[in-house]
Amino acid sequence: MKEEAIKVGDKAPDFELERQDGGLFRLYDLIGKKSVVLYFYPKDSTPGCTKQACEFRDQYEVFKEHGAEVVGISSDSVESHQKFEEAYKLPFLLLSDKGGQIRKLFGVPRKLGLLPGRVTYIIDQEGVVRYVFNSMTKPLEHVSTALEVLNEINSKEKHFKTA
């Protein structure tokens, strides 16, 4: 039975995975405090994934200004994530989804049935998925699109608070 893909408007499923520092990350520990930019990527240290991670790194302060945390997920090991983080000075969490359980939980598609897909989810403070961006070939657009969506979410929330 195929898992149903998470769509805009769905409540993001909670999950727990090991971080690159060996500790545990739980999605719902952030919900209520921050928006979450959850991005699934194929593999540490490959050209597209490195480009994407470095762009998230370069824009990380902007994400924080938007009240968002960036979290990367692949099926690489904790050790692989540690090397990736150190090599590129990544300031955000990388989670190890060894058996691809969380990838399945979110319904992230595989490319050509083999390669793990590249999908970014923008989850608001209430835990609702506000945007899904799926593109294997445009790793940098995941970052710029995520910033645009967060900007939109933040300006709407400000509008409601002042209205």
Side-chain angles (χ1 to χ4, degrees):
M1 188 173 111
K2 191 184 169 308
E3 290 286 322
E4 192 62 34
I6 299 296
K7 300 177 296 307
V8 170
D10 289 350
K11 194 97 168 130
D14 194 14
F15 63 85
E16 203 172 74
L17 282 176
E18 198 171 2
R19 301 186 310 239
Q20 74 264 38
D21 64 8
L24 283 180
F25 169 87
R26 184 168 174 249
L27 180 63
Y28 277 38
D29 287 346
L30 285 180
I31 301 303
K33 299 179 189 117
K34 297 178 176 196
S35 294
V36 180
V37 177
L38 191 65
Y39 84 97
F40 289 85
Y41 65 98
K43 191 147 185 50
D44 289 344
S45 302
T46 54
C49 296
T50 299
K51 218 182 269 183
Q52 183 181 25
C54 289
E55 186 66 11
F56 271 120
R57 174 200 66 204
D58 295 347
Q59 299 296 328
Y60 187 66
E61 287 306 312
V62 183
F63 281 103
K64 281 173 56 178
E65 286 166 19
H66 283 304
E69 188 53 62
V70 175
V71 179
I73 298 180
S74 80
S75 51
D76 292 302
S77 69
V78 169
E79 294 74 26
S80 173
H81 283 338
Q82 286 169 346
K83 287 184 187 125
F84 192 40
E85 174 196 27
E86 285 165 24
Y88 298 100
K89 311 267 183 283
L90 304 177
F92 50 86
L93 292 173
L94 297 174
L95 305 179
S96 181
D97 184 20
K98 282 193 190 102
Q101 298 311 102
I102 306 310
R103 187 175 286 279
K104 283 187 198 97
L105 182 66
F106 275 79
V108 176
R110 290 184 159 277
K111 185 89 169 139
L112 308 171
L114 302 167
L115 285 176
R118 182 188 312 279
V119 180
T120 299
Y121 297 85
I122 313 292
I123 303 164
D124 69 15
Q125 289 191 21
E126 277 76 59
V128 176
V129 176
R130 299 290 288 272
Y131 195 83
V132 179
F133 186 73
N134 181 355
S135 171
M136 275 303 266
T137 56
K138 298 180 180 151
L140 299 181
E141 268 184 47
H142 285 260
V143 181
S144 57
T145 304
L147 283 170
E148 284 168 28
V149 172
L150 285 167
N151 219 2
E152 222 170 86
I153 290 170
N154 288 340
S155 63
K156 278 182 188 161
E157 284 173 1
K158 279 188 188 104
H159 175 74
F160 285 126
K161 283 178 185 155
T162 57

